Amino acid sequence: MKKIIFTLLAFVISFATVSAQKGIDFNHIYAAGGKLQMFIDSAAKNVHYSMVHPNLPNTFFNYMPDVNNISIRINFRKNIKVSNFRYTILVDEKPVLVNQPINEKKLEDTHADGDEEVFSSTSLGTFPVKGKVITVLVYSLEKPQDIDKSVFYGKSVPKAEIKGFSKLFKIEKGFDYSWVKEPKERTNFTFSNNDLELTLIKDRSDIDYVYTTTIRSKQTDEIVFESTTWQYGGAVEEHHFLPFLNIDKNIFKKSGDYEIIIQPYSKWKISAKDREASTVRHTLSITLEEENYTKRELLLFGVATPFTLCLVLLLVTYLIKRKNKKKLVEQEKQTNIAKLQLNSIRSQLNPHFLFNALSGIQNLMNKNEIDNANKYLSKFARLTRNVLDDKELISLAQEKALLDDYLQMEQLRFGFNYEINAVENLDLDNIEIPSMLLQPFVENAVKHGTSQKAVDGQIIISFNKQANDLVLTVSDNGNGFDTNIKYNGLGLQLSDGRIALLNSIYKENRFILEKQSSSKGTYISLTLTDWL
Amino acid sequence: MKAILIDDEISNLENLRALLEKHCPQVNILATAQNVADAVNAIEKHLPDLIFLDIQMGEQTGFDVLNLLPKRNFEVIFVTAYDQYGIQAVKFAALDYLLKPVDIDELKTAVSKVDRKLAAQSQNSQLDFLLQQLKRPEAATSKIALPMQSEIRYIALSEIIRCEADNTYTFFFLANNERFLVSKSLKEYADLLKPNGFLRTHQSHLVNPKFVKSWLKEDGGILLLTSGEKIPISKPNKEMVKQALQQL
């Protein structure tokens, strides 16, 4: 095998020598990194030599896509022990000479392209470089790790390939990744608070270091990210680490399109056309769940916008206030109207009752029942006073007393039985209800319910408690009425209106009226929700 | 007990006399009067224990009778038909009054109360208080008479933090941390003190708005008082309390 290689090398060298002899002048001399110099035909163009990359101090890149042949020389200072040096030459990654000592016999003194100093110099050979990559490694046995590597790149730099993206995000315990493999021209990402960074994975090549990655905002045309350094150690392909880059989420200040550009090292002064030929572009469509803002935007949003907003808010508040005030006044007006209407309804004690009651008292006087006449007169006065007093609220105890007064007076006329019951845990003295609330229903019970039944008639009034609701009921054993027909009786008609009015005044509570009526009697319940 | 009846209408005098004779025989009616001057003369002449005093007497009032007397060593039961004037002051002074037509039971109760007062021989300071109250413009009352078991206390309204119902009794809580029970329902004091700005926040609570510190939103509404006490606001009263506090 070695034999073949040596034979091949010998062939290459001899071929190169032949080419040199065919009129190639090798008149252009360039530093090729380390101790090397390269000689190129004076007609050659587009030569970039001895380029150093930021993170590879001992690697020198010579880019010459349009050059056919190069001759490589090595120069030693006079104080250097040449016998310690070894060199290796690879063509397209294949070693053609390995750990070769310098042929000291061939050393000659030169000024190495016009330098004052005199160097010991020899040729390492002449090589066809077009379409090839020639790599020369030079090191001293004293420092075998200090290898000077010169690459002679005789073709255009291939486009990098993006193998994939991964997104790092926080989870409840620790971190996790999500992957996008073999992306097409555009990749969409949404960043939330839990997302940390984006990783770009490039295909593996022997010249990863020449690739510079930049990310440009398509909106603002700003470069938001630039890196000349690739990391290894994450993704693996066929037992080789793939180069990758970590991109902090925070470089994406705003949602929108960003362009990833991977191109040969930006300091290379190659033509735009050549550069573009070696450049890969990929679009990232970024959506931020929470938008970031620049200082100017913040200033705009932070100062100008709040100021404007404040102004608008003030204006709106003022307008709303004015409207609310108007509304409030309107509401108050409505409530007042409701209250007035309520008052006028309340004031209508049935005149029929009034005068019949008076005639009942007259009857007692004529029968010389002085004490009874006094008793009923006082009751009559209390009822009338209550109507005239026009109080919005009375206590349950007062309501009970008034109903008692009223029923006693009616009892005098018709002779039915009645009960007024209140459950024990009701604080009758202190719980207030709108006055004359039950009066119309009781009046109705007397009039339509029991007046025909005389002594067999029965009216039961109860004050009950159900959770926080106050439930007032009136039941009788009279002949009933059809609850579906709007009853002409003044009392009930007024009551429906009153309950609607009460509901419009007491917005926190509901007044619920239920009527059940059959030929066996009538049951009315009035629930005051959340009243207690 | 010696009594004088004062009313400008003869029928009312006759009526009251008939009821007293029948139902309150311990009352000895020495005289009746139908105008202020006659009333003053009769009182000075007879030195009664009790007078029944009509409030509205033509152009004059029963209060004029009291004002014209330098010494008022008697009890008064006011009698009025339907007359808001003065009734408020009478209530503030915790004095008794009857409404016409006179209810027999109420009459009996009022007379027996006077009986007890005479037995205790306490000074009748309530009349002085009443007459002072009447000199003030309407609703500018600054004090209220609170009947205790053995005395009448006159409490400045600005000293009352709040009242709390205890069935038919009412607890008063004062700014000086005093607390006492009065034998009238909270409803009565609420009716009396509402015109002076007191707020009925709840069936069991009456609050002086001057002592309200803030409205707490917890449990649907609670008033925090400067005393640190928390007073509930019941739903039916919420709107009213809110409006009242906004106007402060």
Side-chain angles (χ1 to χ4, degrees), chain A residues 334-350:
Chain A
Q334 289 290 330
T335 310
N336 282 341
I337 289 170
K339 278 185 180 172
L340 277 175
Q341 284 174 324
L342 208 55
N343 285 351
S344 71
I345 291 175
R346 199 158 50 214
S347 306
Q348 291 178 32
L349 197 62
N350 187 353

Side-chain angles (χ1 to χ4, degrees), chain B residues 64-81:
Chain B
D64 295 331
V65 175
L66 298 177
N67 270 322
L68 286 168
L69 291 166
K71 277 190 175 181
R72 295 177 285 266
N73 297 325
F74 48 80
E75 298 294 327
V76 179
I77 295 173
F78 291 93
V79 187
T80 187

Side-chain angles (χ1 to χ4, degrees), chain A residues 429-430, chain B residues 183-193 200:
Chain A
D429 285 299
N430 292 308
Chain B
S183 64
K184 276 186 184 172
S185 72
L186 181 68
K187 162 79 175 157
E188 281 180 66
Y189 284 112
D191 288 347
L192 212 49
L193 293 174
R200 182 83 183 266

